[in-house]
Amino acid sequence: MATKKERNGLIFEKKTLVNSKTFHTPTMMLTYSFRDNNPRPWLKIPNCSVMTNAYDILQNGRLEKRVRDKGIHKELELKNEICVMDSGGFQFISRGEEEDIDPLRIIDLQNASKTDIAVGLDYPILQDFSPEKVNELTKKSLENIKLSTKYIRNGIEVMPVLHGTTQEEIKKYFVKVKKISDFKIWGIGGLVPQMKQSSTSHTRYFNIIDRVLEARKQLNSINEELLLHVFGVGSPLAGLLFLLAGADSIESISWIMNAKYFLVYQDKIGARKVSKQTTMCTTSVKWNEYNCSCPICSNEDLEEIERKMKLGGNEGFKNRAMHNAYVYQQILVEAKEAISEHRLTDFCKEKLGNHRFFKGILRYALEKVEKYD
Ligand SMILES: [Zn+2]
């Protein structure tokens, strides 16, 4: 008889009370940025959760006012979906603006927006930073978690973000954050800058899996029910591996980014280009293996789907983004089902076992999960 760990890795279904709502996990959050043309998949796809960004909102005075006046849920037309508001530390820092942000301004916006979860303002550590700068930013991030704990109100949950490039650093960071308060949901950051690099090597993923496992281990030392969110997983197929390693929530903006670059997501395969208009060196959609029942593709023949996906301008962009969001959610729906049937490991083997890039990482994740104690 296989053990629980052998069948489902380190994840199990959880129902967590967040801002008087039930947050069902595992979940794939769709990162949303406020651009006029970005579609809102949650209007058509059930069970989405959404990640917004304070930096984004603060760039636009009129938007900020609306979010403050009516709240983020009304602004986005969310019904029961869980909404997270990230601070935008990554955006501030990548534009060299970290000196300009007032953490209290972010907190004030998070309170006014009545978001369900507010991420503490944190400063991601980029690889070219000196040890002095790393120390200084770490200190500031921890101070900001304290500020959030003190000033975030209205039943909003504070999510602290763990930073560190190694397991040891994650553990040290955790010990410091644990002293600040009891948190229900914890983030693990620092993944996006690495994912952005042009070559996504196996070792980079191995390192992320190690850090997710370490974070899970630390959280479990308090309570197994605590939620772990992984920022910026890139692709939902990669996300499955983080679920195995104990993440409850994963998130990506790639559903939009891919759409911009004329890439559509294919289950078990990944992002594929539909048109020569993209400069990305990706191979083309495998139309012979194409099978999708999203609001854009369902009940259409392949020729019509191809036409819709290749369209330029807003219409094509929206088609691809909606399709991508649906495929991302669908992979999670299936993963959830697999978890409830105690076969997530088999499910991951089915999805990734023949994938030319992810199969090696799957093997690594399974070995690590097996050794986890
Ligand atoms: Zn589709």
Side-chain angles (χ1 to χ4, degrees), residues 20-32:
S20 321
K21 287 176 200 162
T22 308
F23 185 25
H24 294 262
T25 52
T27 186
M28 167 100 218
M29 272 179 202
L30 298 174
T31 301
Y32 184 74

Side-chain angles (χ1 to χ4, degrees), residues 291-320:
N291 180 13
C292 178
S293 48
C294 82
I296 307 296
C297 305
S298 71
N299 301 321
E300 301 283 9
D301 57 38
L302 278 180
E303 218 169 285
E304 175 61 8
I305 295 172
E306 194 173 345
R307 189 194 67 80
K308 281 180 162 183
M309 294 299 170
K310 278 182 174 167
L311 279 176
N314 283 334
E315 203 186 339
F317 165 70
K318 283 186 180 176
N319 288 345
R320 293 184 295 275

